[in-house]
Amino acid sequence: MLARFIPKNEQFYGLFRQAAEVGDEIARAFAELIENYHEVERKVRAIREIEHRGDAVASRISEALTQTFVTPIDREDIVLLSERLDDFIDAIEEAARRMWLYRLERPDRHTRAMARVIAKQAAVLKAAMPLLEDLKTAPILLQKTAEVRRLEDEADALMDQAAISLYDGVSDVPGMIRAMRWGELYEYLEEATDRAQDVAKAMEGIALKHG
């Protein structure tokens, strides 16, 4: 009964907004890398710095949980959403790191298209995150999460197209290695779109439970 009279710590909403903003920033930085593929190492380092800021936000969420008696939404939902946001940010950073690590040549049309999809997902999540603070807006929130899901379906179709032509024209070992590395990059890109969908699912769960 005492918990009913203790103010709920609302800082989690602000931290979620910060995490979504980091996700949007790293997705835009990755898309810029792909569209303007030069100074790759410098840009990848910058992307890694953004990812570190995402880790810092996740740490602040964990710390806030240990110091908060009454939370505005269920603790397990806070943990899940924080983890999903962190996973999304990490997946983008890893895709960028692979571009530099494998010294991949100029991105192909599939990679450019996937980078744009990821950036769109991140922008939608950033726009949707403040809606958690007032779950009377749950219908609007669910529209936005549905858009993230639709974009993930679009990404799946793009990856199918990429896989079909991945080994076209490969006739030697170096060509095989290049194709395998591009295939691995495609998997990381698809992973990022999947993790964005996981963020959307976590938000939907909160909206449906508390709306």
mmCIF file of all heavy atoms in Angstrom, residues 138-158:
data_model
loop_
_atom_site.group_PDB
_atom_site.id
_atom_site.type_symbol
_atom_site.label_atom_id
_atom_site.label_comp_id
_atom_site.label_asym_id
_atom_site.label_seq_id
_atom_site.Cartn_x
_atom_site.Cartn_y
_atom_site.Cartn_z
ATOM 1 N N ALA A 138 -1.665 5.732 -27.292
ATOM 2 C CA ALA A 138 -1.282 4.383 -27.708
ATOM 3 C C ALA A 138 -1.634 4.071 -29.165
ATOM 4 O O ALA A 138 -0.821 3.443 -29.864
ATOM 5 C CB ALA A 138 -1.908 3.344 -26.772
ATOM 6 N N PRO A 139 -2.793 4.481 -29.677
ATOM 7 C CA PRO A 139 -3.082 4.181 -31.090
ATOM 8 C C PRO A 139 -2.053 4.780 -32.044
ATOM 9 O O PRO A 139 -1.679 4.146 -33.035
ATOM 10 C CB PRO A 139 -4.473 4.795 -31.295
ATOM 11 C CG PRO A 139 -5.100 4.768 -29.938
ATOM 12 C CD PRO A 139 -3.974 5.073 -28.999
ATOM 13 N N ILE A 140 -1.586 5.993 -31.748
ATOM 14 C CA ILE A 140 -0.574 6.620 -32.602
ATOM 15 C C ILE A 140 0.751 5.874 -32.463
ATOM 16 O O ILE A 140 1.453 5.625 -33.446
ATOM 17 C CB ILE A 140 -0.398 8.109 -32.231
ATOM 18 C CG1 ILE A 140 -1.722 8.852 -32.372
ATOM 19 C CG2 ILE A 140 0.667 8.759 -33.117
ATOM 20 C CD1 ILE A 140 -1.677 10.285 -31.870
ATOM 21 N N LEU A 141 1.073 5.513 -31.236
ATOM 22 C CA LEU A 141 2.290 4.747 -30.995
ATOM 23 C C LEU A 141 2.268 3.444 -31.777
ATOM 24 O O LEU A 141 3.264 3.063 -32.413
ATOM 25 C CB LEU A 141 2.435 4.462 -29.501
ATOM 26 C CG LEU A 141 3.563 3.517 -29.068
ATOM 27 C CD1 LEU A 141 4.915 4.098 -29.437
ATOM 28 C CD2 LEU A 141 3.496 3.235 -27.578
ATOM 29 N N LEU A 142 1.151 2.760 -31.760
ATOM 30 C CA LEU A 142 1.053 1.471 -32.453
ATOM 31 C C LEU A 142 1.133 1.654 -33.970
ATOM 32 O O LEU A 142 1.629 0.764 -34.673
ATOM 33 C CB LEU A 142 -0.248 0.769 -32.063
ATOM 34 C CG LEU A 142 -0.322 0.328 -30.587
ATOM 35 C CD1 LEU A 142 -1.686 -0.270 -30.276
ATOM 36 C CD2 LEU A 142 0.788 -0.676 -30.257
ATOM 37 N N GLN A 143 0.664 2.783 -34.481
ATOM 38 C CA GLN A 143 0.824 3.063 -35.906
ATOM 39 C C GLN A 143 2.303 3.173 -36.273
ATOM 40 O O GLN A 143 2.744 2.675 -37.308
ATOM 41 C CB GLN A 143 0.100 4.361 -36.269
ATOM 42 C CG GLN A 143 -1.403 4.262 -36.265
ATOM 43 C CD GLN A 143 -2.062 5.609 -36.541
ATOM 44 O OE1 GLN A 143 -1.407 6.599 -36.842
ATOM 45 N NE2 GLN A 143 -3.386 5.657 -36.413
ATOM 46 N N LYS A 144 3.050 3.824 -35.387
ATOM 47 C CA LYS A 144 4.475 4.008 -35.657
ATOM 48 C C LYS A 144 5.242 2.692 -35.543
ATOM 49 O O LYS A 144 6.136 2.413 -36.360
ATOM 50 C CB LYS A 144 5.059 5.073 -34.721
ATOM 51 C CG LYS A 144 4.530 6.478 -35.004
ATOM 52 C CD LYS A 144 5.214 7.529 -34.177
ATOM 53 C CE LYS A 144 4.696 8.922 -34.497
ATOM 54 N NZ LYS A 144 4.919 9.306 -35.915
ATOM 55 N N THR A 145 4.907 1.887 -34.557
ATOM 56 C CA THR A 145 5.598 0.606 -34.442
ATOM 57 C C THR A 145 5.245 -0.312 -35.616
ATOM 58 O O THR A 145 6.085 -1.107 -36.057
ATOM 59 C CB THR A 145 5.284 -0.088 -33.108
ATOM 60 O OG1 THR A 145 3.870 -0.254 -32.956
ATOM 61 C CG2 THR A 145 5.821 0.731 -31.943
ATOM 62 N N ALA A 146 4.023 -0.182 -36.125
ATOM 63 C CA ALA A 146 3.645 -0.955 -37.314
ATOM 64 C C ALA A 146 4.487 -0.535 -38.515
ATOM 65 O O ALA A 146 4.839 -1.362 -39.363
ATOM 66 C CB ALA A 146 2.160 -0.778 -37.611
ATOM 67 N N GLU A 147 4.828 0.755 -38.592
ATOM 68 C CA GLU A 147 5.677 1.233 -39.679
ATOM 69 C C GLU A 147 7.085 0.646 -39.565
ATOM 70 O O GLU A 147 7.705 0.290 -40.581
ATOM 71 C CB GLU A 147 5.749 2.766 -39.655
ATOM 72 C CG GLU A 147 6.703 3.388 -40.656
ATOM 73 C CD GLU A 147 6.335 3.142 -42.112
ATOM 74 O OE1 GLU A 147 5.237 2.588 -42.385
ATOM 75 O OE2 GLU A 147 7.150 3.479 -42.986
ATOM 76 N N VAL A 148 7.596 0.506 -38.349
ATOM 77 C CA VAL A 148 8.905 -0.124 -38.156
ATOM 78 C C VAL A 148 8.854 -1.571 -38.633
ATOM 79 O O VAL A 148 9.786 -2.061 -39.284
ATOM 80 C CB VAL A 148 9.334 -0.050 -36.682
ATOM 81 C CG1 VAL A 148 10.629 -0.830 -36.449
ATOM 82 C CG2 VAL A 148 9.511 1.398 -36.238
ATOM 83 N N ARG A 149 7.777 -2.250 -38.324
ATOM 84 C CA ARG A 149 7.617 -3.636 -38.786
ATOM 85 C C ARG A 149 7.548 -3.700 -40.314
ATOM 86 O O ARG A 149 8.128 -4.600 -40.944
ATOM 87 C CB ARG A 149 6.344 -4.243 -38.194
ATOM 88 C CG ARG A 149 6.410 -4.525 -36.685
ATOM 89 C CD ARG A 149 5.006 -4.908 -36.209
ATOM 90 N NE ARG A 149 4.964 -5.311 -34.824
ATOM 91 C CZ ARG A 149 5.104 -6.561 -34.397
ATOM 92 N NH1 ARG A 149 5.329 -7.526 -35.277
ATOM 93 N NH2 ARG A 149 5.040 -6.860 -33.115
ATOM 94 N N ARG A 150 6.822 -2.768 -40.910
ATOM 95 C CA ARG A 150 6.712 -2.754 -42.376
ATOM 96 C C ARG A 150 8.086 -2.553 -43.011
ATOM 97 O O ARG A 150 8.430 -3.206 -44.015
ATOM 98 C CB ARG A 150 5.774 -1.632 -42.820
ATOM 99 C CG ARG A 150 5.473 -1.646 -44.329
ATOM 100 C CD ARG A 150 4.902 -0.342 -44.809
ATOM 101 N NE ARG A 150 5.879 0.748 -44.722
ATOM 102 C CZ ARG A 150 6.882 0.918 -45.577
ATOM 103 N NH1 ARG A 150 7.080 0.063 -46.568
ATOM 104 N NH2 ARG A 150 7.701 1.931 -45.431
ATOM 105 N N LEU A 151 8.877 -1.676 -42.425
ATOM 106 C CA LEU A 151 10.217 -1.439 -42.937
ATOM 107 C C LEU A 151 11.094 -2.675 -42.789
ATOM 108 O O LEU A 151 11.944 -2.952 -43.650
ATOM 109 C CB LEU A 151 10.845 -0.245 -42.219
ATOM 110 C CG LEU A 151 10.271 1.125 -42.612
ATOM 111 C CD1 LEU A 151 10.660 2.184 -41.587
ATOM 112 C CD2 LEU A 151 10.749 1.532 -44.007
ATOM 113 N N GLU A 152 10.893 -3.437 -41.722
ATOM 114 C CA GLU A 152 11.650 -4.675 -41.562
ATOM 115 C C GLU A 152 11.289 -5.664 -42.664
ATOM 116 O O GLU A 152 12.173 -6.375 -43.185
ATOM 117 C CB GLU A 152 11.379 -5.274 -40.177
ATOM 118 C CG GLU A 152 12.371 -6.346 -39.741
ATOM 119 C CD GLU A 152 12.028 -7.720 -40.285
ATOM 120 O OE1 GLU A 152 10.832 -7.972 -40.549
ATOM 121 O OE2 GLU A 152 12.953 -8.537 -40.445
ATOM 122 N N ASP A 153 10.021 -5.719 -43.034
ATOM 123 C CA ASP A 153 9.610 -6.573 -44.151
ATOM 124 C C ASP A 153 10.275 -6.120 -45.451
ATOM 125 O O ASP A 153 10.697 -6.947 -46.279
ATOM 126 C CB ASP A 153 8.088 -6.543 -44.318
ATOM 127 C CG ASP A 153 7.361 -7.259 -43.191
ATOM 128 O OD1 ASP A 153 7.987 -8.092 -42.502
ATOM 129 O OD2 ASP A 153 6.155 -6.969 -42.992
ATOM 130 N N GLU A 154 10.371 -4.811 -45.623
ATOM 131 C CA GLU A 154 11.036 -4.256 -46.801
ATOM 132 C C GLU A 154 12.502 -4.685 -46.825
ATOM 133 O O GLU A 154 13.047 -5.041 -47.876
ATOM 134 C CB GLU A 154 10.915 -2.738 -46.786
ATOM 135 C CG GLU A 154 11.520 -2.034 -47.990
ATOM 136 C CD GLU A 154 11.347 -0.520 -47.926
ATOM 137 O OE1 GLU A 154 10.279 -0.059 -47.450
ATOM 138 O OE2 GLU A 154 12.283 0.195 -48.342
ATOM 139 N N ALA A 155 13.124 -4.660 -45.655
ATOM 140 C CA ALA A 155 14.524 -5.070 -45.558
ATOM 141 C C ALA A 155 14.686 -6.551 -45.905
ATOM 142 O O ALA A 155 15.663 -6.938 -46.573
ATOM 143 C CB ALA A 155 15.052 -4.798 -44.154
ATOM 144 N N ASP A 156 13.770 -7.378 -45.470
ATOM 145 C CA ASP A 156 13.825 -8.803 -45.805
ATOM 146 C C ASP A 156 13.801 -9.017 -47.321
ATOM 147 O O ASP A 156 14.549 -9.843 -47.861
ATOM 148 C CB ASP A 156 12.659 -9.550 -45.161
ATOM 149 C CG ASP A 156 12.854 -9.764 -43.662
ATOM 150 O OD1 ASP A 156 13.987 -9.586 -43.181
ATOM 151 O OD2 ASP A 156 11.864 -10.096 -42.985
ATOM 152 N N ALA A 157 12.940 -8.253 -47.993
ATOM 153 C CA ALA A 157 12.852 -8.362 -49.452
ATOM 154 C C ALA A 157 14.160 -7.918 -50.113
ATOM 155 O O ALA A 157 14.628 -8.538 -51.078
ATOM 156 C CB ALA A 157 11.685 -7.527 -49.969
ATOM 157 N N LEU A 158 14.755 -6.861 -49.582
ATOM 158 C CA LEU A 158 16.038 -6.390 -50.114
ATOM 159 C C LEU A 158 17.130 -7.442 -49.939
ATOM 160 O O LEU A 158 17.956 -7.657 -50.826
ATOM 161 C CB LEU A 158 16.450 -5.091 -49.410
ATOM 162 C CG LEU A 158 15.676 -3.831 -49.794
ATOM 163 C CD1 LEU A 158 16.012 -2.702 -48.816
ATOM 164 C CD2 LEU A 158 16.022 -3.415 -51.225
#
